[in-house]
Amino acid sequence: QVQLAESGGGVVQPGRSLRLSCAASGFTFSTFPIHWFRQSPGKGPEWLAIISYDGTTRYYADSVKDRFTTSRDNSKNTAYLQIDRLRSADTAVYYCARGDPTADDYWGQGTLVTVSS
Amino acid sequence: DIVMTQSPDSLAVSLGERATINCKSSQSVLSRSNKKNYLAWYQQKPGQSPKLLIHWASFRESGVPDRFSGSGSGTDFTLTISSLQAEDVAVYYCQQYYATARTFGGGTKVEIK
């Protein structure tokens, strides 16, 4: 079955960097784009970025494009989200999701990032 | 960005009764080329990730009970739960995927009256 599993979250000081991972299984990872979303406590999901199936094309939300970088390693069935210069407003659960043509159909369970000194 | 507006913010419905959630987009999400509405509905229970219920505005995902239905086109959409069950207590979000930059409605919290 299709599964996505995020990891790499934790408590991080403001200004530091963090790299989140999204490990995929149960489908041909190299043929699907991957989206990244986050959800702050009590809020709805917010789209952050997408990386194409082959990693050659990436788009970012305007609010994060200067600090967030997404990449992928299809040999490891894993996508990544690098977050630089972390701020308190980045505190959220971060999700990856498979970008099927019909919809963003499978989401991981999320990884919590807490930015605090 | 396409702005998605959901109503109501919350909804209390008796077991077995109908729940209706509305979603409006700031621009049409209907593709002229394939005549599909790029509108999805998600269900999110506490502590869980969003679960896709409906895509293309009205197509239920495999395994989703048929009491869930989606309708609408262009800019106005509706999610209906025809007979609310206890396990349907959740927050429901509409999402447009017409644009690469996905956007979501503010969510509707559905509770039991």
Side-chain angles (χ1 to χ4, degrees):
Chain A
Q1 71 279 24
V2 174
Q3 289 189 325
L4 296 162
E6 302 89 344
S7 61
V11 180
V12 188
Q13 291 180 329
R16 303 296 290 268
S17 296
L18 198 64
R19 190 177 80 157
L20 307 180
S21 298
C22 169
S25 60
F27 66 101
T28 306
F29 179 73
S30 61
T31 64
F32 287 86
I34 295 294
H35 291 271
W36 288 92
F37 299 88
R38 69 182 176 186
Q39 189 170 25
S40 301
K43 300 289 182 65
E46 174 190 12
W47 178 80
L48 299 173
I50 181 175
I51 184 166
S52 61
Y53 69 98
D54 60 359
T56 58
T57 304
R58 310 164 198 194
Y59 293 105
Y60 299 92
D62 288 342
S63 59
V64 303
K65 63 183 179 182
D66 295 332
R67 298 187 298 118
F68 287 33
T69 305
T70 185
S71 59
R72 65 191 297 161
D73 184 341
N74 285 344
S75 69
K76 296 183 178 179
N77 287 349
T78 302
Y80 305 97
L81 184 69
Q82 173 84 17
I83 309 173
D84 296 324
R85 303 188 301 280
L86 277 153
R87 309 166 178 169
S88 58
D90 295 323
T91 294
V93 176
Y94 286 74
Y95 298 100
C96 60
R98 188 177 80 162
D100 188 81
T102 59
D104 308 327
D105 56 356
Y106 288 93
W107 293 48
Q109 85 288 349
T111 187
L112 176 62
V113 174
T114 302
V115 182
S116 174
S117 54
Chain B
D1 288 357
I2 299 174
V3 177
M4 308 299 290
T5 303
Q6 258 181 265
S7 62
D9 293 337
S10 63
L11 190 57
V13 176
S14 300
L15 289 172
E17 296 300 306
R18 179 185 299 260
T20 302
I21 301 169
N22 300 301
C23 176
K24 188 175 184 68
S25 57
S26 62
Q27 66 185 72
S28 177
V29 298
L30 174 63
S31 169
R32 294 178 181 177
S33 60
N34 63 10
K35 307 302 184 191
K36 293 186 185 297
N37 288 283
Y38 285 65
L39 189 285
W41 289 98
Y42 291 87
Q43 175 193 65
Q44 188 174 31
K45 297 181 178 180
Q48 297 184 16
S49 58
K51 173 188 173 185
L52 180 64
L53 297 178
I54 288 172
H55 67 271
W56 298 138
S58 61
F59 289 79
R60 260 191 315 275
E61 290 295 298
S62 175
V64 173
D66 62 5
R67 63 180 180 272
F68 290 92
S69 63
S71 62
S73 184
T75 62
D76 292 278
F77 302 91
T78 300
L79 174 70
T80 301
I81 309 172
S82 60
S83 175
L84 191 74
Q85 304 300 303
E87 61 265 33
D88 301 335
V89 170
V91 179
Y92 293 84
Y93 295 97
C94 60
Q95 179 218 42
Q96 65 76 22
Y97 50 106
Y98 185 86
T100 300
R102 272 71 162 129
T103 49
F104 294 81
T108 297
K109 186 175 184 179
V110 175
E111 301 172 307
I112 305 295
K113 185 188 291 184

